[in-house]
Amino acid sequence: MNRHTVWQAVRPVIVLALPAAFIPGCSPSSPGPSTAQPPAPVVDAIAIQSPAVFDGATLSGWQPVGGADWRVENGVIVGTVKTGTGWLVLDSVYGDTGVTMEFECDGCEPGIMIRAEQQGGSTSGVLLELAGPTAGQLFRTEFDAQGRELARKAMPRYTAQVISEGPNYLTTGGCAPVPCAGIKDAHGGGAGSPGSIVAQSAYGVRAGANKAFFSSGGDVLSGNYNGTRLPNTVMDGGRKYGRIALRAAGPAGATVRINLITVRDHTTRVAGLALEKTGPGFRTHLLSDIFYAEGVAVGDINRDGHQDIVAGPFYYLGPDFVEAREIYPAATINIAGAEYPGSHPQSQVGQITHGSYPPSFMDWVYDFNGDGWPDIFKVMAFGPRPTFSGHIWINPKGERRNWDNYQVVPLITNEANQFVDVDGDGRPELTMQLATRSNWSDAQMGYSKADWSDPLKPWTFVPVSEKGTWSGHGLATGDVNGDGRLDLVSPLGWFEHPENPGDGLWTYHPARFGNGGADIFVYDVNGDGLNDIITSLAAHGPGLSWFGQQQDGSFVEHQIMRAPADRQSQDEVAFTELHALTLEDIDGDGLKDIVTGKRWYSHGYRYDDENDVDDPAVLYWFRLTRGPDGAVNYTPHLIHNRSGVGVQVVTADVNGDGRPEVLTSARKGTFVFFNAVQ
């Protein structure tokens, strides 16, 4: 079979391993040499084989319309313009789908239409433009039997709204001091998903290979084009099902070569689960199988000399973790999204439709009032259309009651915070983004700082960046330039901590570290004395990389894990939604390894470029080794295939044996994985 033979996508299956290529265009630097170890099969999973949409040899099942010559050459679909515009229409009808197309273009103007329906002598559907000034946009388009376009109407994108003009809970956390049972949209709405770096990128055909992926669910379409996320768009009007059509347009002789076209049927699902597996060297302990939290923390809450585990409304008493005590009233959450039971997702005006979430997202343990009893700092979400806010929960010192709650950071507009001493005063601050518009066009990166004479009163936000569209996914602290001060790092570059804190905004050094991943870490990966950057490439998509710092301060990307659709064998580790990761020396060799996993079902019953609600909620550690020639290798090792991550994964020695355990809390529950890795 020719390597370009095109099939309909197999329902995503995870049997995993490792390598070096992600969606092109995520970094301005050229990828470095592969850092992958040979793959090793690790997880059994359940697969659904879908019918092929292309047999690799003929155009059986496709119908040409209009002025192009369509043919198959060496397993590739080729469309050459003769006069006007030509279409290739698939016979099969699909509703909610995910479509991926890889193509090359010689002077052409390609496009993909979904939900195409014939009405009399014309066909209409939703067209994704892939070339020209409107590339990356959706249009309801109609063409006649000769392929000529008769009409088009732009589909609306989510519009910007000013958060501060909305209800009071958007800026003060209206359910405080008693948290709401759950929330519907963790992002506060806006023109695109948090972390989508749309404003800084232009779409369009480029020389060589191009790749477009989009996914439709109900009346919402999302996806990415050449590595940049597409704005979430409403597909208003028309039926919610139809045929798929490929377009060849441009001057006579213009040619599109479609190397890959896959269609994933969202109406077909895997039934049943793969066998549960725990990786070598780990022992699984389930604290709760209920979705109470997206984050977790560790500390001796009751001061008995044993480490306890904090997750959501509970802390679990060490050393055996069989007793849980309540911090605030607990409530269960419908992980599939209760806002549209029994129907497709319904878009909400000016915002993104997501599933339901618990209020607790991230946790840290710290004695804020100095009474010797550890308190808890939580990043939380409240109300039906929230952003996030920061809350201190004061330890009741053994009293059998719920804890007192103080909201100290009223508005947080990112999903990857760190609680560290940014300014060197010996006290921790919360790194964060602050925006007042729901499209985040006035966002600033910075940190919130307590007045330690009274840390329970509102904290002060200290901006380090100009206002602009940054990223709600991905934020780090670390000494990038080796001057001894902590800098801030976003997916769009890093901000240099000035020698004099009174100098105002920090110097911005543009760079591209993926497309809006989650946690970012600063660490000397290859041991050359220069600190590098480690991050996932998309919190709701695929990719894991480290970016090696060069002597001139530039960065070169080294890809650790590619997209599932790009893996070269079914034994290759490739999963998506690395919404949380951390660095830890898991095996005790002195080098920090990567711990991460899949934030399974992160948007509820919604299809975007996580593209795999059927895939296992895996958790992995990637072992770092260095060769004598300076080569870097990351080797993946399974921890568990039924837990995943939320927005925070934590490592800590909770049993006192000198080895770090791995702790997660997400839709599958709250877990501790005891570490005995050799």
Side-chain angles (χ1 to χ4, degrees), residues 537-560:
L537 300 180
H540 295 284
L544 175 65
S545 290
W546 69 277
F547 295 79
Q549 186 173 178
Q550 309 302 294
Q551 292 292 336
D552 63 0
S554 63
F555 292 86
V556 174
E557 180 180 357
H558 302 266
Q559 295 153 331
I560 299 170

mmCIF file with all atom_site columns, all heavy atoms in Angstrom, residues 537-560:
data_model
loop_
_atom_site.group_PDB
_atom_site.id
_atom_site.type_symbol
_atom_site.label_atom_id
_atom_site.label_alt_id
_atom_site.label_comp_id
_atom_site.label_asym_id
_atom_site.label_entity_id
_atom_site.label_seq_id
_atom_site.pdbx_PDB_ins_code
_atom_site.Cartn_x
_atom_site.Cartn_y
_atom_site.Cartn_z
_atom_site.occupancy
_atom_site.B_iso_or_equiv
_atom_site.pdbx_formal_charge
_atom_site.auth_seq_id
_atom_site.auth_comp_id
_atom_site.auth_asym_id
_atom_site.auth_atom_id
_atom_site.pdbx_PDB_model_num
ATOM 1   N N   . LEU A 1 537 ? 2.296  21.596 24.179 1.00 0.00 ? 537 LEU A N   1
ATOM 2   C CA  . LEU A 1 537 ? 2.122  22.535 23.074 1.00 0.00 ? 537 LEU A CA  1
ATOM 3   C C   . LEU A 1 537 ? 0.699  23.041 22.931 1.00 0.00 ? 537 LEU A C   1
ATOM 4   O O   . LEU A 1 537 ? 0.463  24.052 22.278 1.00 0.00 ? 537 LEU A O   1
ATOM 5   C CB  . LEU A 1 537 ? 2.579  21.885 21.764 1.00 0.00 ? 537 LEU A CB  1
ATOM 6   C CG  . LEU A 1 537 ? 4.050  21.456 21.732 1.00 0.00 ? 537 LEU A CG  1
ATOM 7   C CD1 . LEU A 1 537 ? 4.380  20.831 20.384 1.00 0.00 ? 537 LEU A CD1 1
ATOM 8   C CD2 . LEU A 1 537 ? 4.980  22.616 22.021 1.00 0.00 ? 537 LEU A CD2 1
ATOM 9   N N   . ALA A 1 538 ? -0.257 22.342 23.501 1.00 0.00 ? 538 ALA A N   1
ATOM 10  C CA  . ALA A 1 538 ? -1.658 22.776 23.439 1.00 0.00 ? 538 ALA A CA  1
ATOM 11  C C   . ALA A 1 538 ? -2.398 22.086 24.570 1.00 0.00 ? 538 ALA A C   1
ATOM 12  O O   . ALA A 1 538 ? -2.458 20.858 24.598 1.00 0.00 ? 538 ALA A O   1
ATOM 13  C CB  . ALA A 1 538 ? -2.286 22.429 22.089 1.00 0.00 ? 538 ALA A CB  1
ATOM 14  N N   . ALA A 1 539 ? -2.968 22.865 25.490 1.00 0.00 ? 539 ALA A N   1
ATOM 15  C CA  . ALA A 1 539 ? -3.634 22.272 26.645 1.00 0.00 ? 539 ALA A CA  1
ATOM 16  C C   . ALA A 1 539 ? -4.803 21.389 26.241 1.00 0.00 ? 539 ALA A C   1
ATOM 17  O O   . ALA A 1 539 ? -5.150 20.442 26.945 1.00 0.00 ? 539 ALA A O   1
ATOM 18  C CB  . ALA A 1 539 ? -4.115 23.377 27.589 1.00 0.00 ? 539 ALA A CB  1
ATOM 19  N N   . HIS A 1 540 ? -5.431 21.687 25.096 1.00 0.00 ? 540 HIS A N   1
ATOM 20  C CA  . HIS A 1 540 ? -6.557 20.886 24.607 1.00 0.00 ? 540 HIS A CA  1
ATOM 21  C C   . HIS A 1 540 ? -6.234 20.255 23.260 1.00 0.00 ? 540 HIS A C   1
ATOM 22  O O   . HIS A 1 540 ? -7.127 19.986 22.462 1.00 0.00 ? 540 HIS A O   1
ATOM 23  C CB  . HIS A 1 540 ? -7.818 21.747 24.525 1.00 0.00 ? 540 HIS A CB  1
ATOM 24  C CG  . HIS A 1 540 ? -8.286 22.210 25.863 1.00 0.00 ? 540 HIS A CG  1
ATOM 25  N ND1 . HIS A 1 540 ? -8.932 21.389 26.750 1.00 0.00 ? 540 HIS A ND1 1
ATOM 26  C CD2 . HIS A 1 540 ? -8.158 23.408 26.485 1.00 0.00 ? 540 HIS A CD2 1
ATOM 27  C CE1 . HIS A 1 540 ? -9.197 22.057 27.854 1.00 0.00 ? 540 HIS A CE1 1
ATOM 28  N NE2 . HIS A 1 540 ? -8.739 23.285 27.717 1.00 0.00 ? 540 HIS A NE2 1
ATOM 29  N N   . GLY A 1 541 ? -4.978 20.021 23.008 1.00 0.00 ? 541 GLY A N   1
ATOM 30  C CA  . GLY A 1 541 ? -4.549 19.375 21.775 1.00 0.00 ? 541 GLY A CA  1
ATOM 31  C C   . GLY A 1 541 ? -3.330 18.522 22.060 1.00 0.00 ? 541 GLY A C   1
ATOM 32  O O   . GLY A 1 541 ? -3.061 18.161 23.202 1.00 0.00 ? 541 GLY A O   1
ATOM 33  N N   . PRO A 1 542 ? -2.571 18.206 21.026 1.00 0.00 ? 542 PRO A N   1
ATOM 34  C CA  . PRO A 1 542 ? -1.425 17.314 21.187 1.00 0.00 ? 542 PRO A CA  1
ATOM 35  C C   . PRO A 1 542 ? -0.107 18.064 21.344 1.00 0.00 ? 542 PRO A C   1
ATOM 36  O O   . PRO A 1 542 ? -0.019 19.268 21.133 1.00 0.00 ? 542 PRO A O   1
ATOM 37  C CB  . PRO A 1 542 ? -1.438 16.532 19.871 1.00 0.00 ? 542 PRO A CB  1
ATOM 38  C CG  . PRO A 1 542 ? -1.952 17.543 18.874 1.00 0.00 ? 542 PRO A CG  1
ATOM 39  C CD  . PRO A 1 542 ? -2.918 18.424 19.616 1.00 0.00 ? 542 PRO A CD  1
ATOM 40  N N   . GLY A 1 543 ? 0.930  17.317 21.693 1.00 0.00 ? 543 GLY A N   1
ATOM 41  C CA  . GLY A 1 543 ? 2.276  17.839 21.618 1.00 0.00 ? 543 GLY A CA  1
ATOM 42  C C   . GLY A 1 543 ? 2.956  18.079 22.947 1.00 0.00 ? 543 GLY A C   1
ATOM 43  O O   . GLY A 1 543 ? 2.363  18.577 23.894 1.00 0.00 ? 543 GLY A O   1
ATOM 44  N N   . LEU A 1 544 ? 4.233  17.690 23.016 1.00 0.00 ? 544 LEU A N   1
ATOM 45  C CA  . LEU A 1 544 ? 5.089  17.920 24.176 1.00 0.00 ? 544 LEU A CA  1
ATOM 46  C C   . LEU A 1 544 ? 6.494  18.178 23.658 1.00 0.00 ? 544 LEU A C   1
ATOM 47  O O   . LEU A 1 544 ? 7.004  17.402 22.844 1.00 0.00 ? 544 LEU A O   1
ATOM 48  C CB  . LEU A 1 544 ? 5.064  16.708 25.115 1.00 0.00 ? 544 LEU A CB  1
ATOM 49  C CG  . LEU A 1 544 ? 5.998  16.742 26.333 1.00 0.00 ? 544 LEU A CG  1
ATOM 50  C CD1 . LEU A 1 544 ? 5.597  17.857 27.292 1.00 0.00 ? 544 LEU A CD1 1
ATOM 51  C CD2 . LEU A 1 544 ? 5.981  15.382 27.050 1.00 0.00 ? 544 LEU A CD2 1
ATOM 52  N N   . SER A 1 545 ? 7.124  19.276 24.093 1.00 0.00 ? 545 SER A N   1
ATOM 53  C CA  . SER A 1 545 ? 8.449  19.636 23.583 1.00 0.00 ? 545 SER A CA  1
ATOM 54  C C   . SER A 1 545 ? 9.297  20.274 24.670 1.00 0.00 ? 545 SER A C   1
ATOM 55  O O   . SER A 1 545 ? 8.784  20.789 25.671 1.00 0.00 ? 545 SER A O   1
ATOM 56  C CB  . SER A 1 545 ? 8.339  20.637 22.414 1.00 0.00 ? 545 SER A CB  1
ATOM 57  O OG  . SER A 1 545 ? 7.802  20.062 21.255 1.00 0.00 ? 545 SER A OG  1
ATOM 58  N N   . TRP A 1 546 ? 10.618 20.244 24.431 1.00 0.00 ? 546 TRP A N   1
ATOM 59  C CA  . TRP A 1 546 ? 11.503 21.136 25.182 1.00 0.00 ? 546 TRP A CA  1
ATOM 60  C C   . TRP A 1 546 ? 12.217 22.033 24.181 1.00 0.00 ? 546 TRP A C   1
ATOM 61  O O   . TRP A 1 546 ? 12.486 21.647 23.056 1.00 0.00 ? 546 TRP A O   1
ATOM 62  C CB  . TRP A 1 546 ? 12.483 20.361 26.066 1.00 0.00 ? 546 TRP A CB  1
ATOM 63  C CG  . TRP A 1 546 ? 13.563 19.576 25.378 1.00 0.00 ? 546 TRP A CG  1
ATOM 64  C CD1 . TRP A 1 546 ? 13.449 18.327 24.854 1.00 0.00 ? 546 TRP A CD1 1
ATOM 65  C CD2 . TRP A 1 546 ? 14.928 19.974 25.186 1.00 0.00 ? 546 TRP A CD2 1
ATOM 66  N NE1 . TRP A 1 546 ? 14.652 17.917 24.328 1.00 0.00 ? 546 TRP A NE1 1
ATOM 67  C CE2 . TRP A 1 546 ? 15.585 18.905 24.522 1.00 0.00 ? 546 TRP A CE2 1
ATOM 68  C CE3 . TRP A 1 546 ? 15.664 21.118 25.503 1.00 0.00 ? 546 TRP A CE3 1
ATOM 69  C CZ2 . TRP A 1 546 ? 16.928 18.957 24.177 1.00 0.00 ? 546 TRP A CZ2 1
ATOM 70  C CZ3 . TRP A 1 546 ? 17.010 21.167 25.163 1.00 0.00 ? 546 TRP A CZ3 1
ATOM 71  C CH2 . TRP A 1 546 ? 17.632 20.093 24.507 1.00 0.00 ? 546 TRP A CH2 1
ATOM 72  N N   . PHE A 1 547 ? 12.440 23.272 24.593 1.00 0.00 ? 547 PHE A N   1
ATOM 73  C CA  . PHE A 1 547 ? 13.019 24.285 23.729 1.00 0.00 ? 547 PHE A CA  1
ATOM 74  C C   . PHE A 1 547 ? 14.396 24.639 24.267 1.00 0.00 ? 547 PHE A C   1
ATOM 75  O O   . PHE A 1 547 ? 14.522 25.237 25.343 1.00 0.00 ? 547 PHE A O   1
ATOM 76  C CB  . PHE A 1 547 ? 12.117 25.518 23.680 1.00 0.00 ? 547 PHE A CB  1
ATOM 77  C CG  . PHE A 1 547 ? 10.773 25.260 23.047 1.00 0.00 ? 547 PHE A CG  1
ATOM 78  C CD1 . PHE A 1 547 ? 9.755  24.642 23.766 1.00 0.00 ? 547 PHE A CD1 1
ATOM 79  C CD2 . PHE A 1 547 ? 10.530 25.625 21.730 1.00 0.00 ? 547 PHE A CD2 1
ATOM 80  C CE1 . PHE A 1 547 ? 8.517  24.402 23.185 1.00 0.00 ? 547 PHE A CE1 1
ATOM 81  C CE2 . PHE A 1 547 ? 9.292  25.386 21.138 1.00 0.00 ? 547 PHE A CE2 1
ATOM 82  C CZ  . PHE A 1 547 ? 8.290  24.773 21.864 1.00 0.00 ? 547 PHE A CZ  1
ATOM 83  N N   . GLY A 1 548 ? 15.423 24.236 23.526 1.00 0.00 ? 548 GLY A N   1
ATOM 84  C CA  . GLY A 1 548 ? 16.790 24.427 23.963 1.00 0.00 ? 548 GLY A CA  1
ATOM 85  C C   . GLY A 1 548 ? 17.262 25.854 23.744 1.00 0.00 ? 548 GLY A C   1
ATOM 86  O O   . GLY A 1 548 ? 17.195 26.375 22.628 1.00 0.00 ? 548 GLY A O   1
ATOM 87  N N   . GLN A 1 549 ? 17.761 26.479 24.808 1.00 0.00 ? 549 GLN A N   1
ATOM 88  C CA  . GLN A 1 549 ? 18.270 27.838 24.690 1.00 0.00 ? 549 GLN A CA  1
ATOM 89  C C   . GLN A 1 549 ? 19.664 27.832 24.071 1.00 0.00 ? 549 GLN A C   1
ATOM 90  O O   . GLN A 1 549 ? 20.537 27.046 24.453 1.00 0.00 ? 549 GLN A O   1
ATOM 91  C CB  . GLN A 1 549 ? 18.303 28.533 26.054 1.00 0.00 ? 549 GLN A CB  1
ATOM 92  C CG  . GLN A 1 549 ? 18.697 29.998 25.960 1.00 0.00 ? 549 GLN A CG  1
ATOM 93  C CD  . GLN A 1 549 ? 18.584 30.763 27.264 1.00 0.00 ? 549 GLN A CD  1
ATOM 94  O OE1 . GLN A 1 549 ? 18.907 31.950 27.316 1.00 0.00 ? 549 GLN A OE1 1
ATOM 95  N NE2 . GLN A 1 549 ? 18.132 30.114 28.326 1.00 0.00 ? 549 GLN A NE2 1
ATOM 96  N N   . GLN A 1 550 ? 19.870 28.721 23.102 1.00 0.00 ? 550 GLN A N   1
ATOM 97  C CA  . GLN A 1 550 ? 21.148 28.855 22.419 1.00 0.00 ? 550 GLN A CA  1
ATOM 98  C C   . GLN A 1 550 ? 21.970 29.984 23.058 1.00 0.00 ? 550 GLN A C   1
ATOM 99  O O   . GLN A 1 550 ? 21.459 30.777 23.849 1.00 0.00 ? 550 GLN A O   1
ATOM 100 C CB  . GLN A 1 550 ? 20.918 29.138 20.939 1.00 0.00 ? 550 GLN A CB  1
ATOM 101 C CG  . GLN A 1 550 ? 19.966 28.168 20.255 1.00 0.00 ? 550 GLN A CG  1
ATOM 102 C CD  . GLN A 1 550 ? 20.427 26.728 20.353 1.00 0.00 ? 550 GLN A CD  1
ATOM 103 O OE1 . GLN A 1 550 ? 21.455 26.360 19.789 1.00 0.00 ? 550 GLN A OE1 1
ATOM 104 N NE2 . GLN A 1 550 ? 19.664 25.896 21.066 1.00 0.00 ? 550 GLN A NE2 1
ATOM 105 N N   . GLN A 1 551 ? 23.240 30.050 22.702 1.00 0.00 ? 551 GLN A N   1
ATOM 106 C CA  . GLN A 1 551 ? 24.111 31.070 23.266 1.00 0.00 ? 551 GLN A CA  1
ATOM 107 C C   . GLN A 1 551 ? 23.626 32.483 22.967 1.00 0.00 ? 551 GLN A C   1
ATOM 108 O O   . GLN A 1 551 ? 23.864 33.410 23.743 1.00 0.00 ? 551 GLN A O   1
ATOM 109 C CB  . GLN A 1 551 ? 25.544 30.887 22.743 1.00 0.00 ? 551 GLN A CB  1
ATOM 110 C CG  . GLN A 1 551 ? 26.244 29.636 23.248 1.00 0.00 ? 551 GLN A CG  1
ATOM 111 C CD  . GLN A 1 551 ? 26.537 29.690 24.739 1.00 0.00 ? 551 GLN A CD  1
ATOM 112 O OE1 . GLN A 1 551 ? 26.643 30.750 25.325 1.00 0.00 ? 551 GLN A OE1 1
ATOM 113 N NE2 . GLN A 1 551 ? 26.670 28.521 25.363 1.00 0.00 ? 551 GLN A NE2 1
ATOM 114 N N   . ASP A 1 552 ? 22.940 32.669 21.833 1.00 0.00 ? 552 ASP A N   1
ATOM 115 C CA  . ASP A 1 552 ? 22.456 34.002 21.477 1.00 0.00 ? 552 ASP A CA  1
ATOM 116 C C   . ASP A 1 552 ? 21.090 34.322 22.084 1.00 0.00 ? 552 ASP A C   1
ATOM 117 O O   . ASP A 1 552 ? 20.509 35.366 21.789 1.00 0.00 ? 552 ASP A O   1
ATOM 118 C CB  . ASP A 1 552 ? 22.396 34.162 19.954 1.00 0.00 ? 552 ASP A CB  1
ATOM 119 C CG  . ASP A 1 552 ? 21.412 33.191 19.294 1.00 0.00 ? 552 ASP A CG  1
ATOM 120 O OD1 . ASP A 1 552 ? 20.763 32.395 20.014 1.00 0.00 ? 552 ASP A OD1 1
ATOM 121 O OD2 . ASP A 1 552 ? 21.298 33.222 18.050 1.00 0.00 ? 552 ASP A OD2 1
ATOM 122 N N   . GLY A 1 553 ? 20.571 33.417 22.936 1.00 0.00 ? 553 GLY A N   1
ATOM 123 C CA  . GLY A 1 553 ? 19.289 33.653 23.585 1.00 0.00 ? 553 GLY A CA  1
ATOM 124 C C   . GLY A 1 553 ? 18.088 33.158 22.812 1.00 0.00 ? 553 GLY A C   1
ATOM 125 O O   . GLY A 1 553 ? 16.957 33.261 23.306 1.00 0.00 ? 553 GLY A O   1
ATOM 126 N N   . SER A 1 554 ? 18.290 32.644 21.609 1.00 0.00 ? 554 SER A N   1
ATOM 127 C CA  . SER A 1 554 ? 17.181 32.056 20.853 1.00 0.00 ? 554 SER A CA  1
ATOM 128 C C   . SER A 1 554 ? 16.917 30.635 21.358 1.00 0.00 ? 554 SER A C   1
ATOM 129 O O   . SER A 1 554 ? 17.670 30.096 22.180 1.00 0.00 ? 554 SER A O   1
ATOM 130 C CB  . SER A 1 554 ? 17.506 32.042 19.359 1.00 0.00 ? 554 SER A CB  1
ATOM 131 O OG  . SER A 1 554 ? 18.636 31.214 19.100 1.00 0.00 ? 554 SER A OG  1
ATOM 132 N N   . PHE A 1 555 ? 15.836 30.035 20.851 1.00 0.00 ? 555 PHE A N   1
ATOM 133 C CA  . PHE A 1 555 ? 15.446 28.700 21.300 1.00 0.00 ? 555 PHE A CA  1
ATOM 134 C C   . PHE A 1 555 ? 15.192 27.796 20.100 1.00 0.00 ? 555 PHE A C   1
ATOM 135 O O   . PHE A 1 555 ? 14.652 28.238 19.079 1.00 0.00 ? 555 PHE A O   1
ATOM 136 C CB  . PHE A 1 555 ? 14.181 28.777 22.164 1.00 0.00 ? 555 PHE A CB  1
ATOM 137 C CG  . PHE A 1 555 ? 14.386 29.461 23.482 1.00 0.00 ? 555 PHE A CG  1
ATOM 138 C CD1 . PHE A 1 555 ? 14.284 30.841 23.585 1.00 0.00 ? 555 PHE A CD1 1
ATOM 139 C CD2 . PHE A 1 555 ? 14.693 28.726 24.616 1.00 0.00 ? 555 PHE A CD2 1
ATOM 140 C CE1 . PHE A 1 555 ? 14.476 31.488 24.795 1.00 0.00 ? 555 PHE A CE1 1
ATOM 141 C CE2 . PHE A 1 555 ? 14.890 29.363 25.838 1.00 0.00 ? 555 PHE A CE2 1
ATOM 142 C CZ  . PHE A 1 555 ? 14.780 30.743 25.922 1.00 0.00 ? 555 PHE A CZ  1
ATOM 143 N N   . VAL A 1 556 ? 15.568 26.540 20.226 1.00 0.00 ? 556 VAL A N   1
ATOM 144 C CA  . VAL A 1 556 ? 15.323 25.523 19.202 1.00 0.00 ? 556 VAL A CA  1
ATOM 145 C C   . VAL A 1 556 ? 14.434 24.438 19.803 1.00 0.00 ? 556 VAL A C   1
ATOM 146 O O   . VAL A 1 556 ? 14.730 23.889 20.868 1.00 0.00 ? 556 VAL A O   1
ATOM 147 C CB  . VAL A 1 556 ? 16.641 24.908 18.689 1.00 0.00 ? 556 VAL A CB  1
ATOM 148 C CG1 . VAL A 1 556 ? 16.344 23.753 17.724 1.00 0.00 ? 556 VAL A CG1 1
ATOM 149 C CG2 . VAL A 1 556 ? 17.496 25.969 18.003 1.00 0.00 ? 556 VAL A CG2 1
ATOM 150 N N   . GLU A 1 557 ? 13.358 24.120 19.105 1.00 0.00 ? 557 GLU A N   1
ATOM 151 C CA  . GLU A 1 557 ? 12.407 23.139 19.606 1.00 0.00 ? 557 GLU A CA  1
ATOM 152 C C   . GLU A 1 557 ? 12.897 21.719 19.385 1.00 0.00 ? 557 GLU A C   1
ATOM 153 O O   . GLU A 1 557 ? 13.377 21.360 18.304 1.00 0.00 ? 557 GLU A O   1
ATOM 154 C CB  . GLU A 1 557 ? 11.050 23.312 18.924 1.00 0.00 ? 557 GLU A CB  1
ATOM 155 C CG  . GLU A 1 557 ? 10.004 22.321 19.413 1.00 0.00 ? 557 GLU A CG  1
ATOM 156 C CD  . GLU A 1 557 ? 8.655  22.487 18.757 1.00 0.00 ? 557 GLU A CD  1
ATOM 157 O OE1 . GLU A 1 557 ? 8.487  23.426 17.948 1.00 0.00 ? 557 GLU A OE1 1
ATOM 158 O OE2 . GLU A 1 557 ? 7.754  21.675 19.055 1.00 0.00 ? 557 GLU A OE2 1
ATOM 159 N N   . HIS A 1 558 ? 12.753 20.889 20.425 1.00 0.00 ? 558 HIS A N   1
ATOM 160 C CA  . HIS A 1 558 ? 13.022 19.450 20.357 1.00 0.00 ? 558 HIS A CA  1
ATOM 161 C C   . HIS A 1 558 ? 11.739 18.750 20.794 1.00 0.00 ? 558 HIS A C   1
ATOM 162 O O   . HIS A 1 558 ? 11.335 18.834 21.958 1.00 0.00 ? 558 HIS A O   1
ATOM 163 C CB  . HIS A 1 558 ? 14.175 19.059 21.273 1.00 0.00 ? 558 HIS A CB  1
ATOM 164 C CG  . HIS A 1 558 ? 15.457 19.781 20.985 1.00 0.00 ? 558 HIS A CG  1
ATOM 165 N ND1 . HIS A 1 558 ? 16.438 19.270 20.172 1.00 0.00 ? 558 HIS A ND1 1
ATOM 166 C CD2 . HIS A 1 558 ? 15.894 20.988 21.398 1.00 0.00 ? 558 HIS A CD2 1
ATOM 167 C CE1 . HIS A 1 558 ? 17.444 20.128 20.106 1.00 0.00 ? 558 HIS A CE1 1
ATOM 168 N NE2 . HIS A 1 558 ? 17.135 21.182 20.838 1.00 0.00 ? 558 HIS A NE2 1
ATOM 169 N N   . GLN A 1 559 ? 11.117 18.065 19.878 1.00 0.00 ? 559 GLN A N   1
ATOM 170 C CA  . GLN A 1 559 ? 9.803  17.495 20.154 1.00 0.00 ? 559 GLN A CA  1
ATOM 171 C C   . GLN A 1 559 ? 9.918  16.147 20.842 1.00 0.00 ? 559 GLN A C   1
ATOM 172 O O   . GLN A 1 559 ? 10.668 15.275 20.406 1.00 0.00 ? 559 GLN A O   1
ATOM 173 C CB  . GLN A 1 559 ? 9.022  17.394 18.844 1.00 0.00 ? 559 GLN A CB  1
ATOM 174 C CG  . GLN A 1 559 ? 8.723  18.777 18.265 1.00 0.00 ? 559 GLN A CG  1
ATOM 175 C CD  . GLN A 1 559 ? 8.569  18.776 16.767 1.00 0.00 ? 559 GLN A CD  1
ATOM 176 O OE1 . GLN A 1 559 ? 9.156  17.954 16.085 1.00 0.00 ? 559 GLN A OE1 1
ATOM 177 N NE2 . GLN A 1 559 ? 7.795  19.720 16.251 1.00 0.00 ? 559 GLN A NE2 1
ATOM 178 N N   . ILE A 1 560 ? 9.168  15.992 21.892 1.00 0.00 ? 560 ILE A N   1
ATOM 179 C CA  . ILE A 1 560 ? 9.200  14.783 22.693 1.00 0.00 ? 560 ILE A CA  1
ATOM 180 C C   . ILE A 1 560 ? 8.077  13.834 22.299 1.00 0.00 ? 560 ILE A C   1
ATOM 181 O O   . ILE A 1 560 ? 8.269  12.628 22.201 1.00 0.00 ? 560 ILE A O   1
ATOM 182 C CB  . ILE A 1 560 ? 9.094  15.137 24.190 1.00 0.00 ? 560 ILE A CB  1
ATOM 183 C CG1 . ILE A 1 560 ? 10.269 16.014 24.609 1.00 0.00 ? 560 ILE A CG1 1
ATOM 184 C CG2 . ILE A 1 560 ? 9.029  13.876 25.043 1.00 0.00 ? 560 ILE A CG2 1
ATOM 185 C CD1 . ILE A 1 560 ? 10.124 16.601 26.008 1.00 0.00 ? 560 ILE A CD1 1
#
